[in-house]
Every structure is written in structure tokens, then in C-alpha cells.
Amino acid sequence: MKPTVYIVDDEPMAIQYLCTLLEKTNLQAQIVGSASNGVKAIPEIARLHPDFVFVDISMPVMDGLEMSEKVLQNDPMQKIFILTAYKDFEYAQKSIKLGVTDYILKNELSEKMLEDMIRNHMAGLELEKRERHAVMAANLRQFLLSNDTDGNQVLEEHRKTMQRYVFLYLVQKPEIILRHTERQIMHHIDSFEMESTIQEDGIRCRAFVELAANEYCCLLLAEASTGNIKERCRSIAGDIMRRIEADDYQYVCIISEPVIQFLALPSVYERLSQKALCVFSGEKNIYLEEEVIYPRVMEMGSTLAESLSCWYVALESEDADAADAAMKDYLRCLRTQCDIWGYIERIQSLYYFVINKLKEKKLSEEIVDLKNSYQDIGELEQDILRCQTSCFETLRKRSEKNYSRHVLLAQQFIATHYSEDLSVTDVADAVGISEGHLRRCFKKEMDESIINYLTNYRLSLAKKLMQRGKLSIDEIWKQIGFTSGQYFSYVFKKNEGVSPSEYRRENKQK
């Protein structure tokens, strides 16, 4: 934590001397402002909220003690250090009664003393700030979600005139879950840390609050004289999103119109949270409120049904080109006519329909090489189209090769029982022929032994599971039918030239 400092002294040389001392310390302190008198300093301190204020006692217009009293009336938690050339016990007594942090003689101030003094207060300062943040966040959260908290308890600033609020609504893009796993990872943003890093001249982050899991708001206060508010707020949103996405999570941010009435914020939140459901498929992640248009579900619903009907027809006739065109049209209709929950529901239905269709066609569901879940809509749709192409390609190859009934039945049995401890006898019994006859058929038609076919089938699944990155290597070899991790590693390295862990590491780097 880098401390922020504000200096009040009517002597420019004194201000410069204190700045020089601070620069020589290891604090990396940031001087956020200075003033030559208390009248000028009070509104700036209220606006900048520095961690520490250094103020001289003897100044024209308003002395340091009177200024400290007014600052502490506005913010009793403000840390103020009184600087003076007077070694007067009465001044020290008055300072303590007012609640200032410390009383320092200028001629005793040194680089080491300054650093030690600030460090002693920094740990307690952060704790105080976090406690204040937690209280304010709880009040604002209740105010926005239920609108049953008095606005006076949330923000003092709302009573000031000519002040504009801008509401940034941030929500993580929902995961489209196709296969449920035990490892659903929740992302958490440190609201206090995020709030403390947002800086922009004329615009102050008054609160960054977690409203619910993966849902946040940032409340910005713009001064009356601040111009070009929308674009400056977009810049702030960009900084926030870059910090979030550095952790490899995808969020959407919608920026509200500036509002003057503080009590209008709950309705602003409700409006933005509804609009966020409509921007899940766009390439952008930051939107101005007016850029978001609600989907026209009822008006264009027939198009959605028609595109799906065309796809069913192409699927039944095994027309790959027509199915590709129909699926692209259907996905486009989903993006333009559904909110995120409607999109997820239809994609999940589509996934389970395809899995059942593969069973009808006696094909392994592993052909549908999709991840367990997606946040990126573009990636999901590309994978859907790729898998569809793969399905038609498999059907084409099967019809061209014209395998015997026994070999096809053996392939289907392996595709549905690969996770079990299979032997050639098990497969032969399922097909209804002798083990020797099955071995000869497989070798003649597949140009490889049935044992090699089973091993290669399992290894191809292992590589797909490692590429998805959701399961550990121990979980993978157990899931695909190997009897021990040691044997799995031996077979994998023999076939692939690298160990399973090396393969996973190389794939992750790629």
C-alpha cells in the first residue's frame, strides 16, 4: 500500500522540504496535493481523501488547528499530523483534544522519523479503511437490492448539489455448462483493493461493492465541472476490466447515464442488471447504457423455429453442407433473439439432442469434443460447428469403408465400454463370435489388432481430457479404463514419446 499525502503550509519552502524528505524514504508516498491555507485545503482534502494530512499550525486566513477541526468534523477517521515550530504544550493539548493523529516539531523532523511515523500508522489505517468500506458496502448493497435503507446512511455526498453519479455494473459472463463437474470455480474481486486503485481527475470512485457472487458495482462521483464524463468513465471501466481479465476471467461492464438524484440508483441498478443479460455474445466487454438493445424475442421467434427445423431436416438426410448453414443460422438467431438464460437453455437442449442422436447412429459421443463449460460464446459456437463437421466426416468414412457387421459391433461396444476392464473375450462375447475370429476380422479390415485399437481409442480420449484441463492425470487414467497409473504412463510415453505430465504441460503452453 502506497500512502497518499496532502500538505498544508503557507511557506512553499516548508512544503518542498517535506516533499524531499518523503521522496528519500522507502514509502513510495504519493503527494496528491498541497495548499497554502486551510480554506483552500478543506474542500480538496474532502475530494481527494488522502491517507495523511500534514498541516502547519501558524497560517493566515485559517490556522492549522481550526482547519483540522473542520476536516475531522467531515471525516473523523482522517489522519492529521500537526507541524509547528512552537514547542508549546498548550498547542499539543488542543491538538490531542481535537483528535489529530500526532503533533510534531519541525526542527526535530527527519527522514527516519517521518518514515517510522507513517509506517506505524499504515497497518492500522488499512484496517480502518477496510472496516469503513465494509460498512459502506453493506449499506449500499442493501439500498440497491431492497431500497429499504435511508440514503443518509449510505453516502454523505448525496446531499451536495450539482454532483453526478455514474453507475458501472459489472457481472461475470455466465458459464454455459454442458457437463457438470465437481470443480466449478468461483471468481472473487477484492472490492477494497479495486476501489483504492481507481483514479481519475474530476471523477472519484466512491464505492466498489460486491452485490452478489460474480456481480459488482462501481459508483463514481463526477464533479459539476467535469466534462466528457461518458468517455472518461469508459476509460475507468477499461482499467477495471484489464485488472479482472489479467486473472483470465471474462466480465461485462455497462456504464449508466449520469444521474443527479442519489435515490434513483436502485432503479439504475435494476435496469443495468437486465440489460447485462443481452450482451453476452458480443465481442465488446464495455458498453454505454444506450448501446444495449433488448432482444426482440416475440417479434422474431418464428425465425428461430424455422432455422432449427431446417437443421433437423438436414440432419436426417445427412446433408453436411445444409446442416452447417442451418446451424450457423440457428446460432445467429439465438444470439439476436435470446437473453443469456434463453441461450443457455437452448444450447443445453441442443447438446443432449445431439448425444442421443449419436447413440441412434451407433457413434461414440466422444466425437462431440466439447469442453465441460464455456464462457466465450464465440469459442463455443466454433466448437459446435467443428464437432458437427467431425460427425458427418465419421459417418462418411464409415459408409465408405463398409466394415463388416462384426467389426462395427465391436467398435460400438468399445465406444460405450472403454472405461471398464475390457478383454478381447469380453468384446467377442458381446459381438457373438469367437475371440480368434474377431481378431482375424479386425486385423483384416482395420489393419491393426483389436488390442491396439482399444489402446489407441483410450489414449485419444486421454489426450482430449488433458487438453480440457479439468481432471488430474490420476482421474483420467481411471476414467478411461487403465488399471494403474504406472501402466498408463508407460503406454502413453511409448505411443506419444512424452509422459502424460509432459504432454499436458506442452499443451498448456501452446
Side-chain angles (χ1 to χ4, degrees), residues 297-468:
V297 178
M298 297 305 294
E299 180 182 338
M300 300 177 64
S302 59
T303 307
L304 190 66
E306 287 168 6
S307 61
L308 189 59
S309 178
C310 290
W311 181 72
Y312 286 151
V313 171
L315 204 63
E316 289 301 322
S317 60
E318 295 189 8
D319 186 337
D321 292 337
D324 185 68
M327 178 54 70
K328 286 177 180 175
D329 189 49
Y330 179 62
L331 294 173
R332 178 190 59 79
C333 290
L334 282 182
R335 289 195 305 273
T336 56
Q337 297 176 39
C338 299
D339 65 16
I340 181 60
W341 304 119
Y343 184 95
I344 290 174
E345 181 181 3
R346 286 168 173 81
I347 287 291
Q348 288 173 337
S349 297
L350 179 67
Y351 172 75
Y352 288 111
F353 172 82
V354 170
I355 293 299
N356 289 329
K357 206 68 180 172
L358 289 173
K359 291 177 181 177
E360 286 180 23
K361 299 283 186 181
K362 305 297 183 184
L363 293 175
S364 169
E365 64 181 69
E366 293 300 327
I367 295 174
V368 183
D369 183 22
L370 298 174
K371 297 194 298 186
N372 292 332
S373 61
Y374 288 84
Q375 267 195 305
D376 188 325
I377 300 295
E379 181 188 8
L380 168 64
E381 294 184 355
Q382 286 177 3
D383 282 358
I384 288 172
L385 294 169
R386 175 181 52 77
C387 289
Q388 178 173 262
T389 301
S390 178
C391 289
F392 280 111
E393 184 67 18
T394 302
L395 287 169
R396 183 186 64 79
K397 287 180 178 179
R398 189 170 73 177
S399 63
E400 286 177 356
K401 286 188 176 180
N402 197 24
Y403 294 127
S404 67
R405 175 176 171 276
H406 293 143
V407 170
L408 287 174
L409 287 173
Q411 289 175 336
Q412 292 165 17
F413 185 78
I414 288 171
T416 53
H417 295 82
Y418 64 86
S419 61
E420 301 169 14
D421 184 13
L422 284 183
S423 66
V424 179
T425 304
D426 295 329
V427 182
D429 290 344
V431 173
I433 59 175
S434 69
E435 180 182 330
H437 186 41
L438 178 62
R439 287 180 186 273
R440 287 191 295 274
C441 289
F442 232 85
K443 186 67 176 176
K444 180 180 177 181
E445 297 180 32
M446 300 292 296
D447 198 27
E448 67 175 332
S449 70
I450 188 170
I451 291 296
N452 282 346
Y453 177 85
L454 174 58
T455 300
N456 290 332
Y457 188 86
R458 285 169 167 168
L459 291 179
S460 69
L461 294 179
K463 288 189 287 185
K464 289 177 182 177
L465 291 171
M466 281 190 272
Q467 288 164 8
R468 290 175 187 166

Side-chain angles (χ1 to χ4, degrees), residues 42-49 74 152 155-165 204 206 221-224 259-262:
I42 288 171
E44 287 200 351
I45 291 169
R47 177 174 61 86
L48 296 168
H49 289 271
N74 290 334
N152 290 308
L155 294 178
E156 288 294 325
E157 290 93 335
H158 86 277
R159 292 195 296 269
K160 298 178 181 178
T161 59
M162 300 304 292
Q163 192 165 232
R164 290 165 291 177
Y165 301 93
R204 183 159 66 90
R206 186 58 187 90
L221 270 65
E223 296 175 6
V259 295
I260 296 175
Q261 293 295 326
F262 176 78

Side-chain angles (χ1 to χ4, degrees), residues 163-196:
Q163 192 165 232
R164 290 165 291 177
Y165 301 93
V166 179
F167 194 97
L168 273 55
Y169 178 75
L170 299 98
V171 63
Q172 187 176 8
K173 287 186 177 181
E175 279 192 297
I176 301 173
I177 299 173
L178 302 179
R179 290 182 291 264
H180 286 276
T181 65
E182 295 179 2
R183 299 184 177 186
Q184 298 300 323
I185 300 172
M186 299 295 288
H187 180 231
H188 176 71
I189 300 172
D190 187 328
S191 299
F192 174 78
E193 288 292 338
M194 186 65 78
E195 181 179 307
S196 63

Side-chain angles (χ1 to χ4, degrees), residues 84-235:
T84 181
Y86 304 106
K87 196 171 184 178
D88 192 319
F89 181 70
E90 185 181 350
Y91 281 135
Q93 241 185 349
K94 286 182 179 178
S95 300
I96 292 168
K97 284 182 180 178
L98 288 175
V100 301
T101 307
D102 213 336
Y103 181 89
I104 309 158
L105 292 173
K106 287 184 177 180
N107 59 356
E108 294 180 358
L109 189 62
S110 66
E111 176 188 327
K112 183 180 184 307
M113 178 184 176
L114 185 62
E115 181 166 349
D116 290 345
M117 183 172 57
I118 290 179
R119 286 197 186 281
N120 287 339
H121 289 284
M122 278 178 65
L125 176 66
E126 182 167 356
L127 182 61
E128 286 177 12
K129 282 186 172 184
R130 283 190 177 274
E131 288 176 351
R132 292 168 69 184
H133 172 84
V135 172
M136 183 275 300
N139 285 336
L140 183 58
R141 187 183 303 113
Q142 186 178 1
F143 177 63
L144 293 173
L145 298 178
S146 59
N147 201 9
D148 63 357
T149 298
D150 183 359
N152 290 308
Q153 298 177 13
V154 183
L155 294 178
E156 288 294 325
E157 290 93 335
H158 86 277
R159 292 195 296 269
K160 298 178 181 178
T161 59
M162 300 304 292
Q163 192 165 232
R164 290 165 291 177
Y165 301 93
V166 179
F167 194 97
L168 273 55
Y169 178 75
L170 299 98
V171 63
Q172 187 176 8
K173 287 186 177 181
E175 279 192 297
I176 301 173
I177 299 173
L178 302 179
R179 290 182 291 264
H180 286 276
T181 65
E182 295 179 2
R183 299 184 177 186
Q184 298 300 323
I185 300 172
M186 299 295 288
H187 180 231
H188 176 71
I189 300 172
D190 187 328
S191 299
F192 174 78
E193 288 292 338
M194 186 65 78
E195 181 179 307
S196 63
T197 58
I198 298 171
Q199 295 179 349
E200 179 78 17
D201 289 341
I203 298 176
R204 183 159 66 90
C205 176
R206 186 58 187 90
F208 192 98
V209 176
E210 182 176 12
L211 299 173
N214 303 327
E215 182 187 16
Y216 299 83
C217 77
C218 177
L219 185 60
L220 302 175
L221 270 65
E223 296 175 6
S225 58
T226 303
N228 201 16
I229 290 179
K230 289 184 180 179
E231 289 308 312
R232 295 179 71 178
C233 289
R234 193 196 289 270
S235 174

